[in-house]
PDB file of all heavy atoms in Angstrom:
ATOM      1  N   PRO A 797      -2.103 -22.356   0.874  1.00 69.00           N
ATOM      2  CA  PRO A 797      -1.269 -23.011  -0.129  1.00 69.00           C
ATOM      3  C   PRO A 797      -1.510 -22.495  -1.526  1.00 69.00           C
ATOM      4  O   PRO A 797      -2.665 -22.216  -1.889  1.00 69.00           O
ATOM      5  CB  PRO A 797      -1.659 -24.473   0.012  1.00 69.00           C
ATOM      6  CG  PRO A 797      -2.283 -24.622   1.369  1.00 69.00           C
ATOM      7  CD  PRO A 797      -2.948 -23.279   1.588  1.00 69.00           C
ATOM      8  N   GLY A 798      -0.444 -22.342  -2.297  1.00 62.00           N
ATOM      9  CA  GLY A 798      -0.589 -21.931  -3.717  1.00 62.00           C
ATOM     10  C   GLY A 798       0.249 -22.846  -4.566  1.00 62.00           C
ATOM     11  O   GLY A 798       1.007 -23.694  -4.074  1.00 62.00           O
ATOM     12  N   ILE A 799       0.087 -22.731  -5.893  1.00 56.00           N
ATOM     13  CA  ILE A 799       0.817 -23.604  -6.784  1.00 56.00           C
ATOM     14  C   ILE A 799       2.299 -23.272  -6.733  1.00 56.00           C
ATOM     15  O   ILE A 799       2.689 -22.128  -7.026  1.00 56.00           O
ATOM     16  CB  ILE A 799       0.284 -23.439  -8.233  1.00 56.00           C
ATOM     17  CG1 ILE A 799      -1.192 -23.857  -8.275  1.00 56.00           C
ATOM     18  CG2 ILE A 799       1.107 -24.274  -9.190  1.00 56.00           C
ATOM     19  CD1 ILE A 799      -1.865 -23.648  -9.605  1.00 56.00           C
ATOM     20  N   GLY A 800       3.104 -24.248  -6.351  1.00 61.00           N
ATOM     21  CA  GLY A 800       4.525 -24.006  -6.334  1.00 61.00           C
ATOM     22  C   GLY A 800       4.964 -23.025  -5.260  1.00 61.00           C
ATOM     23  O   GLY A 800       6.095 -22.505  -5.322  1.00 61.00           O
ATOM     24  N   GLY A 801       4.140 -22.776  -4.237  1.00 85.00           N
ATOM     25  CA  GLY A 801       4.509 -21.780  -3.231  1.00 85.00           C
ATOM     26  C   GLY A 801       4.666 -22.402  -1.849  1.00 85.00           C
ATOM     27  O   GLY A 801       4.485 -23.628  -1.683  1.00 85.00           O
ATOM     28  N   LEU A 802       4.929 -21.540  -0.865  1.00 93.00           N
ATOM     29  CA  LEU A 802       5.041 -21.909   0.518  1.00 93.00           C
ATOM     30  C   LEU A 802       3.795 -21.451   1.240  1.00 93.00           C
ATOM     31  O   LEU A 802       3.323 -20.325   0.999  1.00 93.00           O
ATOM     32  CB  LEU A 802       6.311 -21.343   1.146  1.00 93.00           C
ATOM     33  CG  LEU A 802       7.623 -21.700   0.468  1.00 93.00           C
ATOM     34  CD1 LEU A 802       8.763 -20.909   1.118  1.00 93.00           C
ATOM     35  CD2 LEU A 802       7.879 -23.153   0.556  1.00 93.00           C
ATOM     36  N   SER A 803       3.354 -22.220   2.168  1.00 93.00           N
ATOM     37  CA  SER A 803       2.168 -21.853   3.005  1.00 93.00           C
ATOM     38  C   SER A 803       2.586 -21.607   4.418  1.00 93.00           C
ATOM     39  O   SER A 803       3.251 -22.473   5.048  1.00 93.00           O
ATOM     40  CB  SER A 803       1.143 -22.990   2.975  1.00 93.00           C
ATOM     41  OG  SER A 803       0.073 -22.672   3.782  1.00 93.00           O
ATOM     42  N   CYS A 804       2.304 -20.408   4.920  1.00 95.00           N
ATOM     43  CA  CYS A 804       2.637 -20.079   6.285  1.00 95.00           C
ATOM     44  C   CYS A 804       1.895 -18.800   6.639  1.00 95.00           C
ATOM     45  O   CYS A 804       1.833 -17.840   5.906  1.00 95.00           O
ATOM     46  CB  CYS A 804       4.160 -19.840   6.435  1.00 95.00           C
ATOM     47  SG  CYS A 804       4.653 -19.356   8.150  1.00 95.00           S
ATOM     48  N   ASP A 805       1.338 -18.777   7.871  1.00 95.00           N
ATOM     49  CA  ASP A 805       0.720 -17.615   8.428  1.00 95.00           C
ATOM     50  C   ASP A 805       1.762 -16.906   9.266  1.00 95.00           C
ATOM     51  O   ASP A 805       2.086 -17.315  10.368  1.00 95.00           O
ATOM     52  CB  ASP A 805      -0.525 -17.966   9.248  1.00 95.00           C
ATOM     53  CG  ASP A 805      -1.254 -16.714   9.763  1.00 95.00           C
ATOM     54  OD1 ASP A 805      -0.698 -15.620   9.693  1.00 95.00           O
ATOM     55  OD2 ASP A 805      -2.358 -16.890  10.256  1.00 95.00           O
ATOM     56  N   LEU A 806       2.397 -15.838   8.728  1.00 97.00           N
ATOM     57  CA  LEU A 806       3.470 -15.140   9.410  1.00 97.00           C
ATOM     58  C   LEU A 806       3.045 -14.518  10.733  1.00 97.00           C
ATOM     59  O   LEU A 806       3.869 -14.201  11.560  1.00 97.00           O
ATOM     60  CB  LEU A 806       4.085 -14.090   8.477  1.00 97.00           C
ATOM     61  CG  LEU A 806       4.931 -14.612   7.316  1.00 97.00           C
ATOM     62  CD1 LEU A 806       5.328 -13.477   6.409  1.00 97.00           C
ATOM     63  CD2 LEU A 806       6.164 -15.308   7.825  1.00 97.00           C
ATOM     64  N   SER A 807       1.743 -14.306  10.900  1.00 96.00           N
ATOM     65  CA  SER A 807       1.259 -13.696  12.119  1.00 96.00           C
ATOM     66  C   SER A 807       1.391 -14.679  13.337  1.00 96.00           C
ATOM     67  O   SER A 807       1.319 -14.240  14.454  1.00 96.00           O
ATOM     68  CB  SER A 807      -0.176 -13.224  12.020  1.00 96.00           C
ATOM     69  OG  SER A 807      -1.043 -14.316  11.850  1.00 96.00           O
ATOM     70  N   THR A 808       1.587 -15.950  13.007  1.00 96.00           N
ATOM     71  CA  THR A 808       1.672 -16.908  14.085  1.00 96.00           C
ATOM     72  C   THR A 808       2.848 -17.860  13.979  1.00 96.00           C
ATOM     73  O   THR A 808       3.336 -18.437  14.984  1.00 96.00           O
ATOM     74  CB  THR A 808       0.415 -17.766  14.198  1.00 96.00           C
ATOM     75  OG1 THR A 808       0.167 -18.393  12.864  1.00 96.00           O
ATOM     76  CG2 THR A 808      -0.815 -16.910  14.557  1.00 96.00           C
ATOM     77  N   ASP A 809       3.354 -18.122  12.755  1.00 96.00           N
ATOM     78  CA  ASP A 809       4.380 -19.193  12.522  1.00 96.00           C
ATOM     79  C   ASP A 809       5.601 -18.705  11.816  1.00 96.00           C
ATOM     80  O   ASP A 809       5.559 -17.748  11.072  1.00 96.00           O
ATOM     81  CB  ASP A 809       3.715 -20.330  11.730  1.00 96.00           C
ATOM     82  CG  ASP A 809       2.506 -20.937  12.379  1.00 96.00           C
ATOM     83  OD1 ASP A 809       2.578 -21.159  13.603  1.00 96.00           O
ATOM     84  OD2 ASP A 809       1.500 -21.138  11.727  1.00 96.00           O
ATOM     85  N   VAL A 810       6.684 -19.451  12.037  1.00 97.00           N
ATOM     86  CA  VAL A 810       7.954 -19.204  11.323  1.00 97.00           C
ATOM     87  C   VAL A 810       7.948 -20.101  10.087  1.00 97.00           C
ATOM     88  O   VAL A 810       7.754 -21.301  10.225  1.00 97.00           O
ATOM     89  CB  VAL A 810       9.176 -19.504  12.239  1.00 97.00           C
ATOM     90  CG1 VAL A 810      10.459 -19.393  11.427  1.00 97.00           C
ATOM     91  CG2 VAL A 810       9.206 -18.611  13.455  1.00 97.00           C
ATOM     92  N   PRO A 811       8.138 -19.563   8.905  1.00 96.00           N
ATOM     93  CA  PRO A 811       8.102 -20.390   7.719  1.00 96.00           C
ATOM     94  C   PRO A 811       9.323 -21.317   7.650  1.00 96.00           C
ATOM     95  O   PRO A 811      10.385 -21.000   8.204  1.00 96.00           O
ATOM     96  CB  PRO A 811       8.115 -19.398   6.592  1.00 96.00           C
ATOM     97  CG  PRO A 811       8.764 -18.160   7.185  1.00 96.00           C
ATOM     98  CD  PRO A 811       8.319 -18.147   8.612  1.00 96.00           C
ATOM     99  N   VAL A 812       9.160 -22.391   6.923  1.00 95.00           N
ATOM    100  CA  VAL A 812      10.284 -23.324   6.670  1.00 95.00           C
ATOM    101  C   VAL A 812      10.840 -22.968   5.296  1.00 95.00           C
ATOM    102  O   VAL A 812      10.185 -23.134   4.270  1.00 95.00           O
ATOM    103  CB  VAL A 812       9.827 -24.786   6.700  1.00 95.00           C
ATOM    104  CG1 VAL A 812      10.995 -25.704   6.322  1.00 95.00           C
ATOM    105  CG2 VAL A 812       9.232 -25.144   8.051  1.00 95.00           C
ATOM    106  N   ILE A 813      12.095 -22.443   5.263  1.00 95.00           N
ATOM    107  CA  ILE A 813      12.704 -21.988   4.048  1.00 95.00           C
ATOM    108  C   ILE A 813      13.987 -22.748   3.814  1.00 95.00           C
ATOM    109  O   ILE A 813      14.890 -22.643   4.683  1.00 95.00           O
ATOM    110  CB  ILE A 813      12.964 -20.474   4.061  1.00 95.00           C
ATOM    111  CG1 ILE A 813      11.612 -19.735   4.180  1.00 95.00           C
ATOM    112  CG2 ILE A 813      13.710 -20.032   2.800  1.00 95.00           C
ATOM    113  CD1 ILE A 813      11.761 -18.228   4.290  1.00 95.00           C
ATOM    114  N   ASN A 814      14.070 -23.556   2.771  1.00 91.00           N
ATOM    115  CA  ASN A 814      15.233 -24.436   2.573  1.00 91.00           C
ATOM    116  C   ASN A 814      16.123 -23.947   1.468  1.00 91.00           C
ATOM    117  O   ASN A 814      17.124 -24.621   1.153  1.00 91.00           O
ATOM    118  CB  ASN A 814      14.738 -25.880   2.285  1.00 91.00           C
ATOM    119  CG  ASN A 814      13.985 -26.470   3.451  1.00 91.00           C
ATOM    120  OD1 ASN A 814      14.398 -26.296   4.590  1.00 91.00           O
ATOM    121  ND2 ASN A 814      12.854 -27.132   3.161  1.00 91.00           N
ATOM    122  N   LEU A 815      15.824 -22.889   0.812  1.00 93.00           N
ATOM    123  CA  LEU A 815      16.646 -22.299  -0.267  1.00 93.00           C
ATOM    124  C   LEU A 815      17.284 -21.016   0.095  1.00 93.00           C
ATOM    125  O   LEU A 815      16.827 -20.312   0.999  1.00 93.00           O
ATOM    126  CB  LEU A 815      15.824 -22.127  -1.525  1.00 93.00           C
ATOM    127  CG  LEU A 815      15.244 -23.334  -2.244  1.00 93.00           C
ATOM    128  CD1 LEU A 815      14.389 -22.883  -3.410  1.00 93.00           C
ATOM    129  CD2 LEU A 815      16.367 -24.252  -2.719  1.00 93.00           C
ATOM    130  N   ARG A 816      18.397 -20.702  -0.572  1.00 97.00           N
ATOM    131  CA  ARG A 816      18.937 -19.336  -0.470  1.00 97.00           C
ATOM    132  C   ARG A 816      18.441 -18.558  -1.674  1.00 97.00           C
ATOM    133  O   ARG A 816      18.667 -18.885  -2.818  1.00 97.00           O
ATOM    134  CB  ARG A 816      20.474 -19.337  -0.459  1.00 97.00           C
ATOM    135  CG  ARG A 816      21.033 -17.951  -0.285  1.00 97.00           C
ATOM    136  CD  ARG A 816      22.555 -17.882  -0.449  1.00 97.00           C
ATOM    137  NE  ARG A 816      23.058 -16.587  -0.188  1.00 97.00           N
ATOM    138  CZ  ARG A 816      23.054 -15.590  -1.165  1.00 97.00           C
ATOM    139  NH1 ARG A 816      22.557 -15.796  -2.335  1.00 97.00           N
ATOM    140  NH2 ARG A 816      23.567 -14.360  -0.833  1.00 97.00           N
ATOM    141  N   TYR A 817      17.667 -17.524  -1.387  1.00 98.00           N
ATOM    142  CA  TYR A 817      17.083 -16.675  -2.449  1.00 98.00           C
ATOM    143  C   TYR A 817      18.022 -15.462  -2.740  1.00 98.00           C
ATOM    144  O   TYR A 817      18.687 -14.987  -1.837  1.00 98.00           O
ATOM    145  CB  TYR A 817      15.724 -16.207  -2.031  1.00 98.00           C
ATOM    146  CG  TYR A 817      14.690 -17.277  -1.964  1.00 98.00           C
ATOM    147  CD1 TYR A 817      14.456 -17.991  -0.802  1.00 98.00           C
ATOM    148  CD2 TYR A 817      13.986 -17.635  -3.115  1.00 98.00           C
ATOM    149  CE1 TYR A 817      13.528 -19.030  -0.780  1.00 98.00           C
ATOM    150  CE2 TYR A 817      13.056 -18.644  -3.126  1.00 98.00           C
ATOM    151  CZ  TYR A 817      12.820 -19.367  -1.933  1.00 98.00           C
ATOM    152  OH  TYR A 817      11.921 -20.391  -1.906  1.00 98.00           O
TER     153      TYR A 817
END
Side-chain angles (χ1 to χ4, degrees):
I799 298 175
L802 301 175
S803 176
C804 178
D805 184 347
L806 288 173
S807 68
T808 55
D809 301 315
V810 176
V812 177
I813 298 175
N814 296 318
L815 292 177
R816 181 187 184 279
Y817 290 91

